[in-house]
Amino acid sequence: MGELFRSEEMTLAQLFLQSEAAYCCVSELGELGMVQFRDLNPDVNVFQRKFVNEVRRCEEMDRKLKICQPTQSHWLSLRFVAGVISRERIPTFERMLWRVCRGNVFLRQAEIEDPLEDPATGDQVHKSVFIIFFQGDQLKNRVKKICEGFRASLYPCPETPQERKEMAAGVNTRIDDLQMVLNQTEDHRQRVLQAAAKTMRVWFIKVRKMKAIYHTLNLCNIDVTQKCLIAEVWCPVSDLDSIQFALRRGTERSGSTVPSILNRMTTKQTPPTFNKTNKFTSGFQNIVDAYGIGNYREINPAPYTIITFPFLFAVMFGDMGHGVLMTCAALYLVIRESRILSQKTDNEMFNMVFAGRYIILLMGIFSVYTGVIYNDCFSKSLNMFGSGWSVRPMFETLNENKVLQLDPAVPGVFNGPYPLGIDPIWNIATNKLTFLNSFKMKMSVILGVIHMMFGVSLSLFNHLYFKKPLNIFLGFIPEIVFMASLFGYLIILVFYKWTAYDAFTSKDAPSLLIAFINMCLFNYGDVTNKPLYRGQMGIQIVLVLIALACVPCMLIVKTMVLRRQHLWKNRHLVSSGMAVGLSVDVVPIKRALILEYIPDAHLLSLQFDFGDVAVHQAIHTIEYCLGCISNTASYLRLWALSLAHAQLSEVLWTMVMHLGLSSRSGGGFFGLSIIFAAFAMLTVCILLIMEGLSAFLHALRLHWVEFQNKFYTGQGFKFVPFSFESILEGRFDE
């Protein structure tokens, strides 16, 4: 567990790249996508860097290629407007178009030889005809507004080639002599454009890669000889061989005879956090990263979240029918993921659902499992093994008063528990809600305490890995003992009550909630709530005293030990300084002088603020102790949302589907089809989407607040490697 489920071990490395091989080496590293470059020129303006001209040329080519970039429908067609404008306004008109449209329009204009008569004034004016090519509705609106501002007259022009030919045939006869030349030119241009269209996507990718490479090269330093580039990168230790091979491959591509060098550097800077993922685990890692990027080499909650997140969701959502529908929807996305990925869409909602397809798949599977436990399928129970209650007395009761209340204390009625899940007879009992309330409330507390204790246990592995024994003895042990003494004992009482009291004596069982409150208040004179077992008072007093003793261990003892460690470290460094020739007055000396003589003086803090440390420890202790209570209560949302989902499903069945099945009108199959369509639509919209989203958000909160805060700091920064895949992904529709 020391190395399991941790972020990748990272190292800071220095690259020495020959100038002629730098481009190819960085290109290979981009294809690999395993190094994160550091900016070694933070004080240099972006317009003063060495490769700024290359970046500008790439941006200009990128701008030109955007006009003909590929889209979902293979290619976008160019659109245009045509009209006439006063000849003297042409230069200003052209500049305004270029600036407002950022160079994404193409203007062609020609002077009209004969002057035209102004219909308003009757004067003879000289005008020019123009045509403006552009792409998209946004540019169309801008072009039209500019034309209106310059008082240009726009004329409708057909867009199809056939209509344009018909109009051209009716123009002046002088164009007829040039028609053959124009047709040949058009054919030639079409062939050239078709040939270029086949490689347009390749050009676009190459330009984007070149631009990214030159941006990265601008992060490097150049030695005095101008023949070597020096870069610093963060990279995973496990991928060093792959990075070396990429550098060697880039050097060979460039034809350079001088190899590129990679040296590991020793640094005290905190490395970025890198967790390797695949298409299955990436969704769960995103859930964890949304809370905060983990500290370097901290335990990663994502692998545990793969199981706990869909399970807690299913506890709130549990229904066999709804779980099957959710599983089928997720399976469709999983099976057709290759085709869906090839057909990218701009629908953000669909893209978000598709990215979490494996999360939804597990949530659906777990919901089927909990639905079996609850014996709930579209609010109906399935009688698979026969009821554990005597059926004949049940029907006699229903025939007499139409009300059925199940009471296991009645002799000859209850024969034993149902083999799997909830007995289906409870579905028609009027005290069903009372029974499920007790069952699901206790189940929620059990699951919540186990989940929290597991989170506290994971903090032990962090303390062991980072070699912090003080946090183990005065942090982890008091925390786990405090929680186990109070809430772990509460779980034991729940199981003890289930086993010690059978169906016939359950009414006489004492209340666990009142017993737990009396335990914390040392109130043992309550005659209304008798003890569960002999010697209960003594054991509970000892457990509460143990829990209370853990509080000063975290609050006071740890603070005093930290202060003592600081004083001991100061004395040790002072004595080390005297051994190397420093005077006795070493403490008042400036920190720079201490660092010069004592290598470990970076650990020395000349002042130890006891008040700050005490306040910080007090906040942590109070937060943990009160959090154990509030977090346990927070898990009751498992009980509340589970009942809410079941009741809402039952209401939907009663008010919609039940009416259609019990109707005796002549509508027959047609009426039932309409009712079933309404029931299906409401089931999907309300019970699957709305209720599913609600359960998802509550499960998210349980993991972020109640589980992860026990061991996960989440204050690191993410490893962002230089990768062509991430640069090009989703950028073709910009």
Side-chain angles (χ1 to χ4, degrees), residues 437-511:
N437 261 336
S438 176
F439 166 70
K440 292 186 177 181
M441 182 176 65
K442 293 182 176 67
M443 176 194 66
S444 301
V445 174
I446 293 173
L447 294 177
V449 174
I450 293 176
H451 198 212
M452 289 190 297
M453 292 185 68
F454 176 61
V456 177
S457 302
L458 290 178
S459 67
L460 173 63
F461 298 100
N462 279 334
H463 301 328
L464 290 173
Y465 179 82
F466 293 112
K467 298 179 181 179
K468 295 181 178 179
L470 183 63
N471 289 350
I472 297 176
F473 294 105
L474 297 179
F476 164 73
I477 293 179
E479 289 176 357
I480 197 71
V481 171
F482 179 87
M483 184 174 290
S485 300
L486 297 180
F487 302 98
Y489 174 71
L490 178 61
I491 293 180
I492 295 176
L493 289 183
V494 173
F495 283 104
Y496 178 80
K497 182 177 178 180
W498 281 344
T499 56
Y501 292 87
D502 56 21
F504 302 101
T505 59
S506 58
K507 287 188 175 181
D508 301 327
S511 171

Side-chain angles (χ1 to χ4, degrees), residues 237-395:
V237 175
S238 59
D239 293 314
L240 283 176
D241 292 339
S242 300
I243 296 172
Q244 291 276 21
F245 183 72
L247 292 175
R248 191 180 310 119
R249 195 165 55 239
T251 304
E252 293 174 355
R253 280 180 51 196
S254 65
S256 175
T257 57
V258 181
S260 300
I261 301 173
L262 183 145
N263 289 331
R264 294 185 62 177
M265 301 174 60
T266 302
T267 180
K268 293 172 184 174
Q269 299 182 24
T270 302
T273 300
F274 175 47
N275 295 299
K276 286 187 176 180
T277 59
N278 52 39
K279 62 181 181 181
F280 176 75
T281 60
S282 60
F284 297 95
Q285 188 65 56
N286 290 336
I287 290 177
V288 175
D289 291 344
Y291 174 82
I293 304 299
N295 290 5
Y296 177 64
R297 300 296 286 168
E298 189 177 33
I299 284 285
N300 183 18
Y304 312 105
T305 305
I306 294 176
I307 299 299
T308 59
F309 185 86
F311 176 71
L312 292 183
F313 169 87
V315 171
M316 296 179 279
F317 190 77
D319 187 290
M320 281 184 280
H322 300 156
V324 168
L325 294 179
M326 183 176 291
T327 303
C328 292
L331 275 177
Y332 174 81
L333 297 178
V334 170
I335 294 174
R336 299 178 64 89
E337 63 181 10
S338 300
R339 180 173 296 182
I340 296 175
L341 285 173
S342 62
Q343 300 173 350
K344 292 185 178 180
T345 177
D346 295 332
N347 192 325
E348 294 184 3
M349 184 64 68
F350 177 80
N351 290 337
M352 182 174 61
V353 173
F354 179 73
R357 59 193 180 279
Y358 289 101
I359 301 177
I360 299 175
L361 177 62
L362 288 185
M363 291 193 305
I365 294 174
F366 275 86
S367 296
V368 174
Y369 166 74
T370 53
V372 172
I373 299 299
Y374 298 156
N375 199 357
D376 201 353
C377 180
F378 297 111
S379 78
K380 300 287 109 179
S381 297
L382 303 180
N383 187 7
M384 296 180 289
F385 303 102
S387 175
W389 298 70
S390 298
V391 178
R392 186 175 298 276
M394 301 295 104
F395 280 106

Side-chain angles (χ1 to χ4, degrees), residues 162-190:
Q162 184 62 31
E163 292 178 350
R164 287 198 295 270
K165 288 182 180 179
E166 291 178 359
M167 180 176 288
V171 187
N172 204 309
T173 57
R174 290 177 299 175
I175 308 177
D176 295 339
D177 298 335
L178 302 175
Q179 191 64 46
M180 185 178 298
V181 178
L182 291 176
N183 290 337
Q184 292 177 353
T185 304
E186 180 70 19
D187 293 340
H188 176 70
R189 184 178 65 176
Q190 190 69 19

Side-chain angles (χ1 to χ4, degrees), residues 66 97 240 244 334 368 430 465 488 532 592 596 607 692 696 702 714:
K66 278 183 179 179
L97 280 173
L240 283 176
Q244 291 276 21
V334 170
V368 174
T430 57
Y465 179 82
L532 278 84
E596 181 179 356
Q607 291 184 352
F696 179 90
L702 290 177

